[in-house]
Amino acid sequence: MRTKSEERRQHILAIAAEVFLQVGFEKASMAEIAQRVGGSKATLYSYFPSKEELFVAVMDRSAEQLMGTVFDQLLRPGSPEECCGDG
């Protein structure tokens, strides 16, 4: 079971991903992310020391989710052509 701290971290990552997608890295601000999360910048910085580290964590989370999907497809019975087409 996830702790409240981990749940909060995951919530921050989800909101940050939305902000980065909407406005890009350069225009995204920790203040905007904190506002959307419903917390303070201090809380945000306690989880992620910088916007760069938050962005890296968002990208790591996205890559893990994508790779999970890919591996799920690869582990299904049948040939790759049956599951995903032949190219």
Side-chain angles (χ1 to χ4, degrees):
M1 179 159 72
R2 289 185 177 166
T3 65
K4 285 191 178 209
S5 180
E6 179 60 20
E7 289 176 7
R8 181 79 166 165
R9 183 179 187 280
Q10 292 302 316
H11 180 66
I12 291 168
L13 289 173
I15 298 298
E18 291 175 7
V19 173
F20 288 131
L21 281 172
Q22 290 172 355
V23 302
F25 176 80
E26 290 296 323
K27 292 184 181 178
S29 71
M30 295 295 265
E32 173 68 19
I33 295 167
Q35 179 184 11
R36 290 191 192 191
V37 167
S40 68
K41 285 196 308 184
T43 299
L44 195 56
Y45 280 112
S46 73
Y47 285 90
F48 304 97
S50 68
K51 181 171 83 168
E52 290 79 9
E53 289 190 36
L54 175 56
F55 183 75
V56 168
V58 166
M59 300 310 318
D60 283 344
R61 180 176 181 248
S62 296
E64 285 176 13
Q65 290 172 340
L66 178 61
M67 292 309 296
T69 302
V70 169
F71 284 117
D72 286 347
Q73 291 295 322
L74 291 173
L75 294 173
R76 288 187 178 179
S79 68
E81 291 82 14
E82 290 172 2
C83 127
C84 308
D86 59 351

